[in-house]
Amino acid sequence: MSRNIYDIDPAGNVLCTYTGVESQEDLKAQRTRIPTLRALLHAFLPAGYPHSVTPDYLPYQTYDSLQAFFSSITSLLANRAVLEGLGVGDSSSSPTGALILKIAGDTISRIATILFAHRLGTAIEPECKFYRFLADLLNDSAQLLDLLTPAMPYFPKLGVIISAGVLRSLCGVAANASKASLSAHFALRGNLAELNAKEASQETVVSLLGMLVGSLVVKIVQDKQVVWVLMVGLLGTHLMMNYWAVRSVRCRTLNRQRATMVVREWLEHGKVLGPEEVSGRESILQLGVGGFGKMTSKSGEYTGTCEFGTYGDVKALASWKGYHRYEFETEVYFMGICHRGGDFLMRIALKEEHGQKMSDTSASASSPLEAWFDAVSHAYHFDSALKDGLQSHYENEVPLLGYTSEEQKGTVFAALAAAGWDLETNALETRSPVRVRVGDGKKVLIPSEKDILRQPQVSKKD
């Protein structure tokens, strides 16, 4: 009985069909003809597409390519203004003065890059959608400043050039870091490097098209007022494309905003939201509940923020005069709450987990999520808790209110994992993680796998 054998690609498409495999003389190979358009797309899409990436990859890349096209045009208009401001075409301008302006702008922008990466480097990955949009917002602001340079005297021009350089440096850090995080989200089969390479190819083609169109625009548009009107329109379209690109991403990690939305939905309706549902509700600019740690009570009468910090941050709430305060301590964390009127503050200090390394993200992800779950639950019940007084409420009323038990939380976490959430990644802490060690303060040595393997094996004697 004859049989056929096929070569297939990662997406399951047949590349070549082999017949007559029973004997070498009858063996025939027929390659599958690939249409020209599909072959062209293969040069720009990851191998195995669409099975090698998440479903939100194509919408994001489509809008991202469109925003890159408009950004290429606006960059040419902004660069022309900068060259005019530096004195290109003006015989009375000093080359040395232009060089000093350029050096000053580059120097300050590079210092700003280092400072920004140090200060907000750990916050970009958990909030990658926000920082991806913020990056283009900063870049567009820098381009508007560039348009001012031709009309400025020397020293105000220096300030404008430095300000624009700082904005671009912030854009560079935010864009590069957030793109890396989004690429890791899209890659499903360990194809992160290839995905980044194909994205670079896409951006190259789009940028070339943008430069061709932009060259015509720069040649035709000379009037200053028309340039400003055109820039505002192009930048608005550019930001809109970028917003839709970020909006289309369905992140599977629980940052502060997404975790707050998920817990609130469960507390109010007993329903566990999935990544797709949450992506349609979350605010890209972090303006809603959960953004930047914002929380509210059930009625919305009480509003405040919650942050992870140190044990000192929890204790520091006691020094706030005029505020009522209360402290919790569980096996996992210390929590401090203080409030005055309709405002409240919450601080969480996580305890060190014995036998686990802080660098082990999967091992330490459950503690922040459990603490944040409790914080959202407390905030949700503040309508009664803060009116009664924190001390009397938590000592007398909490056992009757039915706050979420450990068993219930375990059930909710299992439902979250089943809904598609990644509970192994800690995306709740936006600063370098700090843990509280309770005891003598000595470092607990955690043996590595090599140390365990090196330990002598003791055999049992009969």
Side-chain angles (χ1 to χ4, degrees), residues 125-142:
E125 184 170 2
E127 311 290 351
C128 61
K129 296 174 71 173
F130 167 74
Y131 282 101
R132 180 66 190 91
F133 183 75
L134 178 65
D136 279 336
L137 189 62
L138 294 171
N139 184 66
D140 291 354
S141 300

Side-chain angles (χ1 to χ4, degrees), residues 100-140:
I100 292 175
L101 288 174
K102 182 65 175 174
I103 292 174
D106 288 347
T107 301
I108 300 300
S109 66
R110 292 179 185 185
I111 295 174
T113 298
I114 297 172
L115 295 176
F116 186 71
H118 169 69
R119 181 64 182 87
L120 294 177
T122 57
I124 296 178
E125 184 170 2
E127 311 290 351
C128 61
K129 296 174 71 173
F130 167 74
Y131 282 101
R132 180 66 190 91
F133 183 75
L134 178 65
D136 279 336
L137 189 62
L138 294 171
N139 184 66
D140 291 354

Side-chain angles (χ1 to χ4, degrees), residues 36 43 75 93 178 211 238 241 251 275 295 331 340 407 449:
T36 305
S75 295
S93 298
S178 58
M211 289 177 64
H238 168 247
M241 293 295 107
C251 291
M295 294 184 181
E331 295 181 355
R340 182 172 63 183
E407 292 76 12
E449 294 182 3

